[in-house]
Structure formats: C-alpha cells, structure tokens
Amino acid sequence: MSALLSNTPFSAIFAPSELTRFLLPAQSRLQLSSLTRYQSGFKSATSRSLNLRCCSTMPLQDQSENPSCSQDSLCYSRAFWVTKSIIAWNVDAGEGECYLYASRKAGLCVADDGIQGHDVKIKLERTNYGLPQQVIEKFPHIRDYAAFEVPATLDFQSLVKCQLAVGIFNSYGKCASATGLQLPGILDELFSYTGPLGAVFATEAVSLYLWAPTAQAVQALIYKSPSEADPVEIVQLKELDGVWSAKGPRHWEGCYYVYEVSVYHPSTLRIEKCVSNDPYARGLSADGKRTLLVNLDSDDVKPEGWDNLQDEKPNLLSFSDVSIYELHVRDFSANDPTVPHEFQGGYLAFTSQDSAGVQHLKRLSSAGITHVHLLPTYQFAGVEDEKHKWKYTDIEKLNSFPPDSEEQQALITAIQDEDGYNWGYNPVLWGVPKGSYASNANGPCRIVEFRKMVQALNHIGLRVVLDVVYNHLHASGPFSDFSALDKIVPGYFLRRNADGGIENSTCVNNTASEHFMVERLILDDLKCWAVHYKIDGFRFDLMGHIMKRTMLKAKSLLNSLSTEKNGVDGSSIYIYGEGWDFGEVANNGRGINASQFNLFGAGIGSFNDRIRDALLGGSPFGHPLHQGFVTGLYLEANGHELGDKANVERMLTVSKDHIQVGMAANLKDFVLTNCDGQEVKGSEVLMHDGKPVGYASSPVETVNYVSAHDNETLFDIISLKTPKDISVEERCRMNHLATSVIALSQGIPFFHAGDEMLRSKSIDRDSYNSGDWFNRLDFSYNSNNWGVGLPPKEKNERNWPLIKPRLADPSYKPQKSHILAAVENFLNLMQIRYSSPLFRLKTANAIQERVRFHNTGPSWIPGLIVMSIEDGHQGVPGLSQLDPIYSYIVVIINPCPTDVSFANLALRARSLQLHPVQMNSTDVVKNSTYDASSGCFNVPARTTSVFVEPR
C-alpha cells in the first residue's frame, strides 16, 4: 500500500489489511553489505577479536562522488532528518522531485523504477535558503547540504519507528539517487527527555523506564537468578513520548532482567528483536548478560560507615594542591604475595592494610600524593567476570627463557583474550563496576567491594579518580552480547559519518555526545559514580571527542553536589582528560569539542603532551631513538641522525623553552624570554607544526606528565633513547630527573604507577592486553620487571631489533639498590613540592608575578634550567606572603653528564640553602652548593637541586 500523504494521520496507515511487503531477491545480500557499511568495516562485534582495545579495519566503499539509485543505496544513510520539518541531503535536486518513503516492516528496496515496498510515500519540497543556523551549529559537517521541507501534518512519532529512505527523481521520472536517513536531529527535537530512567525503587514498587523512541515494542524479561533459563515474568512496557515504562512489585529487587526491543536496525535493514541490558544498569550478572535490580541506596550494599565517608575524606583546599598517581586495579596486587590470595587483582586488595602495596601507597600519601587514578573500573569487555573461565601461563616456564626471548610474548598472546588482564578501554556499560575485580561477580558483591576500596583509599589519605571512557563503546549492532545502546536506539548513540557508517577514530564505535540523550547518559553516569560511590575525580579518555558543552555541564553538575543534599562535596571533584584534537571532531568538525585549546578558561585539566615530548624527545609516534632534554639530546648523542651540531643544539634550546612554558603551568599568556632572547608569551612559543605550546588559562587546566599507561614506561623509553654505553646508574638518574621536572612544575603533576620504582614492561609500548607478566609491579622493590622477554609482537615487532640487544645486556637491569634510591628520591620530591605553597600557585597572575626563568636567551649554558619563585613579606608593599617558611626558592635542573656551575647577578647576596629534604637525603644532590657572594650554584650531573631562603 502506497500513499502520498497530506493530512492523513500516519498511524492510520498500518492496519491488518496491510499488503505483504515486497522484497527483491537481492535484499538478503544487501543486509550483510549494510552491516559492513554501518560498522565502517570493523569486524563483527560477536568476534573475539573485539576483545582487543582496537581492531583492524577494511575500507568502506565510497560512492559519495557518484550517488546513484542502485540496489545497495539503502545500505547507506546519507540523508539527515535534522528537524521535524527539514531533511538535509547532499544531492543535486535539479528539476526533479524528492520523496520520503517509510516501511513499518522494513520492506524498502530499490528497483529500476524507484523505491518499492513502502507503506508511505511523502513528497518533499526543495528549499532555496539552505539549512538554518541552529541546524548548522548542531551538525556543522553537513552545513552545505540541501534542505528539503517535510509536511508538518505527519505522525512523526510513528514515522521514526519505520525503515526510512529518500529518493530523488530526474525530470524523466527516473530515480537518480536514493539513501537511508540518520535520525538524531529529529529525535532530539521531539523526544529529548529529562525524567526518570533505569530502575526506580519506591516503598512498594519498582518502576522501569527506557528511552527508545524508535522501538515498535518493548518488553522486560524478569529472572529470579542470573542463570535460570526461563523468565518468571514477561512484562510489556507502555510508551509515552518515546519513553517506555512498567511498574512491578518491590520483590523484584534482587532479580535480574533484560529488555527485548523490537526496532528497525540500519545495520541489517530489518526489524530486529534485540535483547539488551538496561543502559542505566547499576548491577549485572556474572556473565554480563542480565541487569541486576539493585537499589544503591539500600543499607544492604553499603559497607560499615559508608554514609559518613564524606566527613572522613582527606582534606583538599584547592585543585592546585592535586597530584595524581595512575594505577591499574589488577596491576596493584595480582603479583603481591603479601595480599590474601582471594583478594589479589581485585578491589579488596586495597583494604589489605599490611600488604606491601598498601604500605607503598601510604608512603606516597604521606609524602604528598593526593589522588589515585584508577584505570577503567566500569563493566568492560575483554576479561570474563567469572574467574574459573580464565586461562593462565606457567610462570616457571616463563621465567626459564632468556630476557630477550620471543617465547614469553608468544605464550602470553596465545591466551591474551582469555586471561584475567585488560586495561579496560572496551566499554560495555558505564554505570556498573567491573565484575572481574570482585570476589563474586553475581549479585551486589561488586558494588560493596568497590565501595570498600574507595573507603580504604580515602582512609589512607588518598582520593579516588575514575578513568571514564565516554568517547566510544566496545560493540554495536543488534547481535553482540556486548552491544547495548545500539540495540535500544540504533544509529543514535554512535557518531556516524556522511555515509551512515560508524565513526571509529577513537578506536571503534565513537559515541555522539552532541546528541541530547547521549550527553544526558554521560551526565547521569557521572552523578551516579560521584554520589553513590563517592568518587573524587574523573579522568576523561579522549576528552577531545566529547563536546565542550558536555564537559562544562559535567563540571557544573558535579560542582552542584552538596554534602547536605547528596552526601558528597562536589566542589572538591577534579576533572581532567585527554584534549587531543583529531578524527572527525578535529577543528570543531562536529561542534566545539573539548580540545586543549577550546577548554581555555573552563577550569578543566588536560594532559600536557608538550612537556612530555620535550623531556623525552620526539613523540610516541616518531622514531624511538629521537632524544630529548633528559635523554641526552645534544649532550650525549645516541647515534640517531638529527642533523648537524648546530641543528641539534637548536633542538635542545627549543625543547628547553617548551619545558619552561610547561613548568609555568603551560599558561597561554605567561611571558618568558625564549632561546632567541625575545620576550614571548607561552602561546607564541611554537611546536614543530606551528601550534602554540601554551594554551591554559590557569594552573589547574594543565596536567603535566612524562609517562602514563600508554606508550613505554619512563624507564623503558629512557633505556631505548640513551646511548648504549652509559651505565644503568646514569639511566636511573635520568628517570629521576624527568620525574623532578613534573613534581616541581606549576600545574597538576601526574605520575604513572611505578615510575618511582623504575618500572619496566620490557619496553612494551602498548601493554593493554599483555597480561600480568609484562605489567607486573613489585612493591618489595626486588625487581622492576626489566628483561622479561621481547614485548608482544603485535605492537612492538617493528622495534624488536632495537629492543633485543638492550634486553640481552645484563648491565641495563637495575638492582634493588637502584630501585630503593629511586623510591627515596621520588618521595623526597613530593615532600619538597608540599613543603611550600609556592610550588602550587593557584592563579595565572600569581605565576606570572612570582615565577622567573634564568639562564635564558642565546648565551645560555646548554642543558640547564634555572627557575626562581618569589614570595612577598608581611607589611611590605608588593607581593603578598603565601609561605610562612620560605621567601624565595630556586630550582636548578641539570641534565648534563657532568657537574655544572651557574652564576647570576640577580641571585647574589641571598640567604639560600639547599632544601632540608635534599640535605638529609642519601643522594648526590646533597653535594649541591650556593655561594652568596657570587650568586654561583654548583649542581651535580643529572640532578635537580632546590635551594630555599628561610624567613
């Protein structure tokens, strides 16, 4: 039945007498073709290969240059229904006519004479004025598309539940082009919703709410247990304005449920019956296939004293006081024999007060570290929650191989998708703690144990940061057990390209925070973690792929939480993330995104890759032997060709400028003297690609770091970049030198767990799935895990020729004495940072007024950074007094392989002395000297010395 509608209600079209849909024989072949295009060529989400963090791709056939009306046209979705009155399509209408087609049973197909199998055919009118400004702001990537007007009298609520297509016909009446539609625009306009979602518990009832405006039917299957085959109840949900709901008895609490959603899915061109977890799930079964009906406010899921935890949290006076230690839950205890076996690798290991790992954390906390950043702890794919399903390798066998052998990585990678290890950047459900870290993945155990972990860390003086990955999802489509959001409202939650394929620039299945209900889900999830788990901070993975608007709303939402209303002080929750600007969102391609430059003034931190690259050399994507400030650039060449001597010296001077801007919190407007003797702002110091180094408006917007979970560890990259003939002692000093720059800079210092112990992953550049073997931490300080075999082939084989001789050389491996010295040096640095507020200035003005760099301009001593920080005096005009103990501080960073003397007239006649912490240390730093009469400092090789002027 076809109809050209004018005033006919669309709901009246579908009647029992509806004609059987017409399908071309080619339709079955097109369904597979559509799935490939929808997923942008990624392997099926049902494949085990998607347990990896990233997947290989196949090219998506591109017909954008010649969009014809062919049989596979409907496999693409090149038109956008942006508002209820406008469809945008990049097509030349000419003199022909354009129509919208709908089929409730997904019977559309393309024949020689046009689109067949429709229930409805609606004429569209081409406009001459283009897309409205509000549409361009929401969808900037289609700003030049033609606009087609949709009649205002349609039943839009019914239309969006259908398979939809548009077709355009030339003046001869022949179909010139046809395509499917993308619906986020109209869904946002008509169905944006702010009411309850998920399971809502009342005194005598449990209500379920699901946002699914494109679904044709929804039912909930209720199960008594996580594994019984048959549901005890099947409940039909009723729809109101796109939200499906049902009310059940209170005894549902503790049961499990799934939704069965009948919905058109663009990946198959069919109406699919999708079985899915609740996107707002707060608990899960052990196999992850059913949602647990759990009330997070129930006393049954609260550890003793939980409600009082806010009053027991460590003090945090200002975000400028934050320092961050990045740690993976499993790394922390999987190999720690001092942790009870049943706690190893899980949440409860943090409650083991006498373990070596917890003792180490206590030392870090006492020295000043304020926050532990935990790698993903939500429900992710890649690790079974049921431990009896894990596979293991023989440790004795692994230990039997040489340090440069290929055998270890072969055994690890053979089971890497079936062991207990993964970083966790494979999001399945954002709002549920990962079950594999709990002692029992069924029931509420994971909730209780996660809360005990937070409680235990707070009690030893450490606040807790969660690593949240809202930029992508592990799976999509209607079939994968790991797919949820894309089963509920297909094509809405994931960002799609101009052809309708899913964008994969983050890795796989990019999400679209520019869509209202995606943003809402992110905000609701953050609030859940902050309120119900009392989380103290959030680190946003690939934050640049999230819209700035979303991040500002997140900051505002968290800041609004109060102890009185919510049981938490949201004003103390710090948020930061990766502000990289790439992929389809680059240059505001999908709206103003949360990139480093766009976040200026937002009070949200972003990782400073400038200081990292200047310190180490090159970049994680460049040649691994490219040296930097602390790895011997110009001062101790490794033989890698970087040009003539003058060019290499210039590289060192430029690196120094980048580091100094970073040490001044990477402020956009901080003024310093550059290597050419010119006074410039931080934003006028440029990187190799011409982009500014400085981009922040305040110190809390800069997270300074030199290593993180990604890429090689600090010790490993130093071992790779330095000359082969230097000693392991010298490499250890470089490790400490790099850490000292981060520890003594303005801004937020960030450290990868193990940097303070010379941690090695056997030079693995991406250990996300490299098992416990390559990711081991040893809190007994006996080993740093160097030389445990060549790192896994997948990500490292290209560098094996460089890695192998280094691993084979026993002189590269640190001894326990080296590790103990590194730990002591790190703790000393943190004590120094927290000994004076001058290292933690709160504003850009304070930094500009008080921080100075000496040894600048063209006549500088190569390889030396000299920074001073000045304080005022009570009762004296000028600077206010911040530090009651020290009035002046000088930090000298010497990366040279020899002692260095530096004299400066501006630093003469001061009462400077070596910081007491360094005077009392066992390190050579205690040999540093200052002569007041000449203003001359002497600093040992590869050493950072801190001089203070007591009041």
Side-chain angles (χ1 to χ4, degrees):
M1 173 169 57
S2 297
L4 183 59
L5 288 193
S6 55
N7 296 314
T8 308
F10 190 77
S11 56
I13 294 300
F14 304 111
S17 60
E18 185 177 39
L19 294 176
T20 304
R21 63 179 175 169
F22 173 74
L23 289 176
L24 288 177
Q27 183 73 17
S28 60
R29 298 195 300 273
L30 295 184
Q31 286 156 1
L32 178 59
S33 174
S34 176
L35 178 62
T36 302
R37 287 171 172 81
Y38 181 77
Q39 294 179 332
S40 281
F42 270 66
K43 295 178 182 178
S44 168
T46 57
S47 168
R48 288 297 298 179
S49 66
L50 264 183
N51 285 340
L52 305 181
R53 190 177 180 198
C54 295
C55 313
S56 62
T57 62
M58 299 179 291
L60 174 65
Q61 182 184 353
D62 184 9
Q63 296 184 344
S64 57
E65 296 299 316
N66 185 28
S68 61
C69 200
S70 59
Q71 283 191 352
D72 67 346
S73 296
L74 302 188
C75 299
Y76 299 91
S77 297
R78 292 176 171 142
F80 297 73
W81 201 338
V82 290
T83 71
K84 69 177 183 179
S85 60
I86 298 175
I87 289 175
W89 191 10
N90 190 25
V91 68
D92 183 8
E95 298 298 320
E97 295 183 333
C98 186
Y99 295 90
L100 170 67
Y101 300 87
S103 171
R104 189 170 178 86
K105 293 187 176 180
L108 298 181
C109 55
V110 179
D112 292 340
D113 57 348
I115 296 177
Q116 298 183 1
H118 52 271
D119 306 306
V120 177
K121 179 180 179 182
I122 303 159
K123 187 174 181 180
L124 306 177
E125 296 295 333
R126 171 80 179 257
T127 68
N128 295 319
Y129 45 77
L131 297 174
Q133 186 60 34
Q134 73 269 20
V135 171
I136 292 173
E137 289 176 2
K138 186 174 177 69
F139 303 105
H141 60 299
I142 61 169
R143 62 174 61 247
D144 297 323
Y145 280 31
F148 295 85
E149 285 189 348
V150 182
T153 54
L154 301 179
D155 181 355
F156 298 101
Q157 188 157 343
S158 296
L159 269 174
V160 298
K161 299 179 184 299
C162 298
Q163 181 189 20
L164 298 169
V166 288
I168 197 161
F169 295 80
N170 61 26
S171 56
Y172 301 105
K174 192 170 182 66
C175 183
S177 187
T179 188
L181 275 78
Q182 299 186 37
L183 303 182
I186 187 175
L187 296 183
D188 277 354
E189 180 180 354
L190 297 182
F191 301 104
S192 293
Y193 170 73
T194 58
L197 288 171
V200 178
F201 294 82
T203 305
E204 296 181 354
V206 178
S207 298
L208 300 177
Y209 297 91
L210 180 71
W211 186 77
T214 62
Q216 296 183 0
V218 178
Q219 57 185 12
L221 283 61
I222 312 295
Y223 298 87
K224 269 192 174 179
S225 76
S227 57
E228 66 179 14
D230 299 321
V232 294
E233 196 171 347
I234 298 177
V235 181
Q236 304 295 328
L237 277 70
K238 296 180 180 179
E239 183 188 13
L240 178 63
D241 296 330
V243 178
W244 299 77
S245 63
K247 182 178 285 189
R250 182 65 196 230
H251 67 248
W252 274 3
E253 184 175 359
C255 293
Y256 294 82
Y257 69 105
V258 295
Y259 287 123
E260 189 178 81
V261 182
S262 296
V263 64
Y264 172 74
H265 209 292
S267 72
T268 62
L269 306 181
R270 287 180 172 177
I271 305 299
E272 299 289 356
K273 195 167 280 189
C274 300
V275 177
S276 173
N277 277 301
D278 191 332
Y280 277 72
R282 298 296 176 238
L284 285 171
S285 58
D287 60 8
K289 294 181 181 179
R290 295 176 184 174
T291 301
L292 174 67
L293 280 158
V294 58
N295 180 8
L296 296 181
D297 288 322
S298 169
D299 289 340
D300 294 338
V301 294
K302 295 178 181 178
E304 184 179 352
W306 177 252
D307 289 333
N308 301 321
L309 183 59
Q310 178 59 47
D311 299 329
E312 301 166 353
K313 284 183 176 288
N315 291 330
L316 183 68
L317 299 179
S318 165
F319 287 147
S320 63
D321 293 329
V322 168
S323 55
I324 302 167
Y325 185 76
E326 182 198 42
L327 182 62
H328 184 269
V329 169
R330 186 161 177 83
D331 288 355
F332 175 67
S333 62
N335 296 285
D336 188 347
T338 66
V339 173
H341 178 72
E342 63 273 20
F343 292 179
Q344 288 177 357
Y347 301 129
L348 291 181
F350 293 91
T351 69
S352 186
Q353 291 295 305
D354 296 325
S355 72
V358 170
Q359 291 299 314
H360 185 79
L361 292 182
K362 288 179 179 178
R363 297 178 73 188
L364 296 179
S365 173
S366 296
I369 289 287
T370 63
H371 288 64
V372 166
H373 158 170
L374 298 175
L375 266 66
T377 52
Y378 50 71
Q379 185 66 14
F380 59 80
V383 175
E384 293 280 0
D385 285 349
E386 298 169 288
K387 297 178 178 61
H388 68 270
K389 296 181 179 179
W390 296 354
K391 292 186 177 179
Y392 299 86
T393 49
D394 184 336
I395 298 299
E396 289 187 11
K397 189 173 185 181
L398 291 171
N399 280 323
S400 70
F401 298 119
D404 62 336
S405 171
E406 296 182 28
E407 297 298 329
Q408 296 96 324
Q409 65 85 33
L411 290 171
I412 296 297
T413 55
I415 62 162
Q416 65 179 4
D417 297 331
E418 300 169 273
D419 64 358
Y421 196 89
N422 197 289
W423 278 350
Y425 293 91
N426 316 319
V428 176
L429 288 165
W430 293 325
V432 184
K434 177 61 178 168
S436 65
Y437 296 144
S439 56
N440 181 359
N442 280 313
C445 186
R446 64 177 82 194
I447 297 166
V448 176
E449 293 183 2
F450 190 101
R451 287 171 161 175
K452 286 183 176 180
M453 173 184 69
V454 174
Q455 196 175 40
L457 285 167
N458 283 178
H459 284 165
I460 63 171
L462 294 168
R463 288 173 170 256
V464 179
V465 173
L466 285 197
D467 199 324
V468 288
V469 185
Y470 295 127
N471 63 80
H472 73 274
L473 292 167
H474 176 67
S476 60
F479 306 124
S480 171
D481 289 340
F482 300 120
S483 177
L485 295 177
D486 200 44
K487 291 177 177 178
I488 304 296
V489 192
Y492 177 82
F493 287 95
L494 302 179
R495 187 178 291 137
R496 299 165 73 185
N497 61 29
D499 286 331
I502 299 170
E503 293 283 7
N504 294 300
S505 56
T506 62
C507 179
V508 62
N509 299 318
N510 295 9
T511 53
S513 66
E514 59 270 27
H515 302 161
F516 182 90
M517 294 303 288
V518 181
E519 179 179 84
R520 183 189 160 178
L521 177 57
I522 292 171
L523 297 176
D524 289 346
D525 192 68
L526 288 168
K527 184 176 181 180
C528 176
W529 286 108
V531 171
H532 292 293
Y533 292 95
K534 303 188 188 298
I535 295 304
D536 306 296
F538 295 94
R539 177 267 192 192
F540 287 77
D541 183 67
L542 296 185
M543 179 174 63
H545 270 66
I546 299 172
M547 293 300 109
K548 177 182 178 181
R549 178 194 69 184
T550 307
M551 293 302 303
L552 292 176
K553 286 183 179 180
K555 183 171 183 286
S556 176
L557 167 71
L558 294 171
N559 191 60
S560 72
L561 302 176
S562 67
T563 305
E564 295 74 27
K565 284 182 62 177
N566 311 103
V568 294
D569 176 15
S571 67
S572 66
I573 296 176
Y574 180 61
I575 61 176
Y576 60 101
E578 296 176 305
W580 321 137
D581 192 34
F582 68 97
E584 76 282 359
V585 300
N587 303 312
N588 301 320
R590 293 301 181 99
I592 300 175
N593 62 322
S595 65
Q596 290 168 325
F597 294 112
N598 286 342
L599 287 176
F600 178 86
I604 295 169
S606 65
F607 284 97
N608 178 14
D609 52 337
R610 282 82 158 143
I611 198 169
R612 176 201 67 190
D613 292 347
L615 286 167
L616 298 178
S619 80
F621 312 104
H623 197 286
L625 296 185
H626 191 130
Q627 290 176 287
F629 187 84
V630 301
T631 55
L633 179 65
Y634 180 71
L635 303 170
E636 211 159 14
N638 62 9
H640 176 61
E641 179 58 44
L642 291 174
D644 60 24
K645 182 178 180 182
N647 183 65
V648 178
E649 183 177 14
R650 176 68 182 177
M651 292 174 68
L652 180 61
T653 63
V654 169
S655 294
K656 178 169 172 273
D657 282 351
H658 292 194
I659 294 166
Q660 289 176 159
V661 174
M663 293 187 74
N666 221 55
L667 295 174
K668 179 181 178 180
D669 295 324
F670 179 79
V671 177
L672 74 163
T673 302
N674 70 6
C675 57
D676 297 318
Q678 302 168 332
E679 277 203 351
V680 294
K681 294 180 178 180
S683 59
E684 294 170 334
V685 178
L686 304 179
M687 299 191 295
H688 67 281
D689 58 1
K691 292 181 179 177
V693 170
Y695 59 77
S697 75
S698 72
V700 300
E701 291 178 7
T702 294
V703 178
N704 281 320
Y705 78 115
V706 72
S707 74
H709 65 274
D710 280 322
N711 311 310
E712 296 89 348
T713 68
L714 178 56
F715 182 82
D716 282 349
I717 199 66
I718 288 171
S719 298
L720 200 56
K721 290 177 180 287
T722 48
K724 291 182 180 179
D725 58 357
I726 70 170
S727 67
V728 67
E729 285 82 10
E730 291 170 291
R731 294 191 183 93
C732 293
R733 294 208 65 76
M734 290 178 175
N735 192 104
H736 177 53
L737 193 74
T739 301
S740 72
V741 175
I742 303 303
L744 301 177
S745 293
Q746 304 294 330
I748 309 300
F750 175 100
F751 306 100
H752 179 216
D755 280 355
E756 76 284 10
M757 300 185 294
L758 310 175
R759 182 183 188 176
S760 173
K761 297 180 183 178
S762 218
I763 320 188
D764 189 347
R765 65 171 285 107
D766 189 359
S767 67
Y768 78 100
N769 204 17
S770 299
D772 294 329
W773 180 255
F774 288 99
N775 287 285
R776 285 185 297 179
L777 281 171
D778 181 1
F779 292 110
S780 72
Y781 312 134
N782 286 314
S783 169
N784 76 332
N785 209 42
W786 172 268
V788 295
L790 284 168
K793 185 176 185 178
E794 178 193 7
K795 299 294 181 82
N796 300 281
E797 185 180 20
R798 183 182 65 176
N799 291 332
W800 275 5
L802 296 174
I803 295 171
K804 188 175 177 65
R806 288 166 170 80
L807 296 181
D809 186 342
S811 71
Y812 272 77
K813 184 175 179 65
Q815 303 304 307
K816 184 169 185 175
S817 58
H818 297 124
I819 298 170
L820 289 171
V823 172
E824 179 194 348
N825 284 337
F826 181 81
L827 296 174
N828 288 347
L829 283 172
M830 297 314 299
Q831 289 176 39
I832 291 170
R833 179 177 181 84
Y834 287 94
S835 70
S836 172
L838 298 178
F839 287 115
R840 311 184 310 282
L841 298 173
K842 298 178 182 179
T843 67
N845 284 341
I847 293 172
Q848 185 63 69
E849 291 173 345
R850 298 166 188 269
V851 175
R852 295 286 182 275
F853 290 98
H854 311 270
N855 189 39
T856 56
S859 60
W860 72 304
I861 298 173
L864 195 71
I865 290 177
V866 181
M867 176 181 73
S868 65
I869 315 173
E870 186 176 2
D871 200 13
H873 299 268
Q874 285 186 352
V876 178
L879 293 175
S880 60
Q881 181 178 318
L882 302 177
D883 189 338
I885 302 173
Y886 304 124
S887 60
Y888 201 82
I889 297 175
V890 176
V891 177
I892 301 183
I893 301 165
N894 175 22
C896 301
T898 57
D899 293 6
V900 166
S901 295
F902 171 76
N904 188 302
L905 293 177
L907 300 175
R908 285 175 55 192
R910 287 197 166 272
S911 303
L912 291 165
Q913 61 188 44
L914 194 63
H915 196 288
V917 170
Q918 292 187 328
M919 287 178 63
N920 295 322
S921 77
T922 59
D923 189 78
V924 295
V925 68
K926 64 184 179 182
N927 298 327
S928 305
T929 60
Y930 165 72
D931 179 66
S933 62
S934 61
C936 183
F937 300 83
N938 188 274
V939 178
R942 298 193 180 94
T943 296
T944 295
S945 302
V946 181
F947 296 87
V948 292
E949 186 173 71
R951 291 193 182 279

